[in-house]
Amino acid sequence: MTLGVAAETATMSNAAPAEAAPAEATSTAEGEALPAETAPAEGKAPAEAAPAEGEAPAEPAPEEPKAPTPPPPDEPTSEPLEVTVEDKSDSSVTITWRPPKTIPANSGLDGYTVEITKEGTEDWKAVNEDLTVSCRYAIKNQTTGDRLLVRVVAVNSGGRSPPATIADPILVKEVGARPKVRLPRFLRQRYVKKVGEKINLVIPFSGKPKPVVTWLKDGEPLDPKRANIRTSDTDSILFVRQAERVEDFEDKAAIIIQIIELPGPPASIKVADVWGFNVALEWTAPKDNGNTEITGYTVQKADKKTGDWFNILEHYTRLNATISDLIMGNTYTFRIFAENKCGLSEECARTKEEATIVKEVIDYKPTPFVERDFTEAPKFTTVLNDRSTTVGYSTKLLCSVRGSPKPKIMWMKNKMILNNMDNPKYRMISTGGICTLEIRKPGQYDGGEYVCRAENQLGKVDTGCKLEVKKPVYADADKDKEAE
């Protein structure tokens, strides 16, 4: 209102000289015309200047009226100054500003128009149907979470001023403030009243959202029958009609109340390493834990191709993790939410760099095949053992040998080579390294020293045994039968 009066006063004071100007111009014109009428013109007779004797004096010719000076055109004001946000809630924003620096005297200032648009658009709309003369305005009925751009335009008969815009978008969300009691100075020491006097205390307070005010006496709520309490948005009033003295009993109890909320996001996150199908992540704890301890973290991944987020770790308590079983050739981004007793944080920490699982090109170089040399000199794994047999009963001598190339087997008796082709009494068999010499129905002269020899390109080896052929004992038995 003060601004309106000042503007109106300036208009009247500046208009007075403008109205007086035509009058000054008229008097000046009359002053210049007066010598022209009274002074005679050069070259004219005196008879023309003065009337003849006995005639009435001639009347002067009327002067033509002069056009009035037109008033200066109306001009708009300059832009309003210092547009700032005074207060916010979940559905409104209150702004203030200062009047324009320049207000024309002839057009003055009619009021202001407040206009808004959402961030990212240019669709400006006025929020006040009528001009407001106040330098403060509350923009109501807004949606929580919207980001608004706000500007103020001064309006007069000359039109709209240049807009004054708040540079940064305004988030429609109430800004919380802790409750604070602003105790008056006279109550910061003992407050004394006599019995029967009235008590009227006004205690200012602040806080957002609006705090709940409770009056206590000795730790207990006041009796509404003895005291009246009225609470507004900014103060609370205690009124006691008549003070009375009561016994001074006191009891105290301490209660610890912890107010918690959702935590903030992790302070930082980075991809520490990428190898094979694995990615190593590291992050730091949130700066704001919501006034309670962090109970865990939720880690999510998103493939660059789809952009869909999937949980890979939940309620994870460490500050580093290895993410495995990723798909070769894909590129991944990771984000992490912090968690406390209230739940997951509303915001998350996201990796700036991407992790790509590279397709590894394997250059297979087979080991050249080296053929093993299995050649080996002959060696008996089972040697011949001495044995005895009875005349007329066939017997076998056995041994086993190995070697590569396959060794040639030769049997000898008393250092004489045996040949089964020449003597059918002997049968020599060599199969799978098992060497057998069968002596069919040996006689008394078939006993002796037998040797088996194995020989190949790498060498030869012998094994031998003694064979004893015994006579049958049935001759004594026949004598016993004859004696019977």
Side-chain angles (χ1 to χ4, degrees):
M1 297 301 292
T2 305
L3 176 60
V5 174
E8 183 179 357
T9 305
T11 302
M12 295 176 61
S13 61
N14 291 335
E19 295 175 357
E24 293 177 1
T26 304
S27 61
T28 305
E30 292 178 355
E32 293 175 354
L34 183 59
E37 295 176 359
T38 54
E42 295 182 0
K44 290 187 179 182
E48 295 178 0
E53 186 177 349
E55 294 181 0
E59 296 181 1
E63 184 179 358
E64 296 181 0
K66 193 172 184 179
T69 303
D74 293 342
E75 297 179 356
T77 68
S78 60
E79 71 275 6
L81 305 175
E82 299 178 10
V83 183
T84 57
V85 178
E86 181 185 70
D87 193 11
K88 294 193 302 181
S89 69
D90 288 339
S91 61
S92 66
V93 176
T94 302
I95 62 172
T96 60
W97 62 89
R98 290 180 56 198
K101 183 177 181 181
T102 303
I103 301 177
N106 58 335
S107 53
L109 175 63
D110 295 337
Y112 302 94
T113 296
V114 180
E115 299 175 345
I116 64 171
T117 185
K118 292 186 178 180
E119 183 183 17
T121 66
E122 293 295 334
D123 185 16
W124 291 94
K125 295 182 180 179
V127 293
N128 55 328
E129 296 180 358
D130 300 327
L131 297 179
T132 177
V133 297
S134 174
C135 290
R136 181 179 182 274
Y137 191 82
I139 306 171
K140 301 179 180 180
N141 301 325
Q142 300 301 311
T143 303
T144 303
D146 283 353
R147 302 179 72 89
L148 303 179
L149 294 174
V150 181
R151 68 184 185 186
V152 180
V153 179
V155 180
N156 63 5
S157 58
R160 293 163 53 93
S161 71
T165 307
I166 297 179
D168 298 327
I170 303 172
L171 177 63
V172 182
K173 184 178 181 181
E174 185 169 25
V175 179
R178 295 180 179 274
K180 185 174 183 180
V181 177
R182 305 183 182 279
L183 198 64
R185 186 179 298 274
F186 71 94
L187 291 178
R188 296 178 186 175
Q189 54 189 1
R190 185 182 296 275
Y191 183 63
V192 180
K193 280 289 185 179
K194 295 180 180 179
V195 173
E197 292 182 344
K198 297 179 180 180
I199 299 176
N200 188 17
L201 302 179
V202 180
I203 309 298
F205 63 85
S206 61
K208 282 190 177 182
K210 178 184 175 182
V212 177
V213 178
T214 304
W215 287 82
L216 303 176
K217 179 179 181 296
D218 297 334
E220 296 182 0
L222 288 177
D223 185 0
K225 297 180 180 179
R226 299 184 53 81
N228 295 325
I229 299 174
R230 289 184 300 171
T231 302
S232 66
D233 292 341
T234 57
D235 56 34
S236 182
I237 301 174
L238 171 67
F239 178 74
V240 179
R241 188 175 301 277
Q242 188 174 6
E244 296 181 1
R245 181 185 175 191
V246 295
E247 296 295 334
D248 189 11
F249 296 107
E250 182 178 351
D251 188 16
K252 294 182 180 180
I255 300 176
I256 300 176
I257 300 176
Q258 183 180 8
I259 309 299
I260 64 174
E261 63 178 350
L262 294 175
S268 63
I269 177 176
K270 67 176 182 178
V271 176
D273 193 10
V274 179
W275 75 99
F277 301 94
N278 311 298
V279 173
L281 299 177
E282 294 180 357
W283 62 91
T284 56
K287 295 180 179 178
D288 181 11
N289 62 1
N291 200 29
T292 184
E293 64 177 345
I294 299 297
T295 58
Y297 299 92
T298 295
V299 183
Q300 297 181 344
K301 69 175 180 180
D303 185 359
K304 188 176 181 180
K305 296 179 181 178
T306 63
D308 298 332
W309 291 97
F310 298 95
N311 288 352
I312 50 179
L313 294 174
E314 293 181 322
H315 314 299
Y316 189 76
T317 56
R318 299 174 62 183
L319 295 177
N320 54 72
T322 299
I323 312 302
S324 304
D325 300 330
L326 300 176
I327 299 175
M328 180 180 294
N330 287 1
T331 300
Y332 293 91
T333 303
F334 302 90
R335 67 182 185 184
I336 300 180
F337 294 84
E339 183 179 6
N340 64 7
K341 294 179 181 179
C342 289
L344 292 177
S345 59
E346 295 180 350
E347 299 179 356
C348 64
R350 183 170 176 172
T351 54
K352 296 180 180 179
E353 62 272 18
E354 296 177 339
T356 302
I357 307 302
V358 181
K359 294 182 179 179
E360 295 184 0
V361 179
I362 301 176
D363 186 10
Y364 176 70
K365 295 181 179 180
T367 304
F369 176 73
V370 178
E371 186 174 359
R372 183 176 177 182
D373 185 10
F374 290 97
T375 58
E376 182 182 11
K379 179 180 180 181
F380 284 100
T381 56
T382 302
V383 297
L384 294 174
N385 294 319
D386 296 341
R387 62 179 306 167
S388 62
T389 185
T390 305
V391 174
Y393 290 90
S394 299
T395 186
K396 292 181 179 180
L397 301 179
L398 299 174
C399 63
S400 61
V401 66
R402 73 181 185 189
S404 181
K406 181 180 178 180
K408 180 181 179 181
I409 304 301
M410 181 185 302
W411 288 92
M412 292 180 293
K413 175 188 175 186
N414 298 328
K415 299 182 180 181
M416 299 295 292
I417 299 174
L418 297 176
N419 190 343
N420 58 355
M421 298 297 292
D422 298 336
N423 191 352
K425 180 183 283 292
Y426 301 104
R427 183 185 178 192
M428 291 170 277
I429 302 172
S430 178
T431 304
I434 305 299
C435 303
T436 306
L437 175 62
E438 182 180 358
I439 304 173
R440 299 173 181 175
K441 295 181 179 182
Q444 187 175 1
Y445 299 103
D446 289 328
E449 184 178 354
Y450 286 84
V451 174
C452 179
R453 174 174 292 176
E455 183 178 1
N456 64 7
Q457 294 90 332
L458 301 178
K460 63 181 180 178
V461 64
D462 295 341
T463 181
C465 68
K466 291 182 179 180
L467 175 63
E468 182 182 0
V469 180
K470 299 179 181 180
K471 296 180 180 181
V473 294
Y474 56 79
D476 294 338
D478 291 341
K479 291 180 178 181
D480 294 339
K481 290 180 180 179
E482 291 177 357
E484 291 177 357

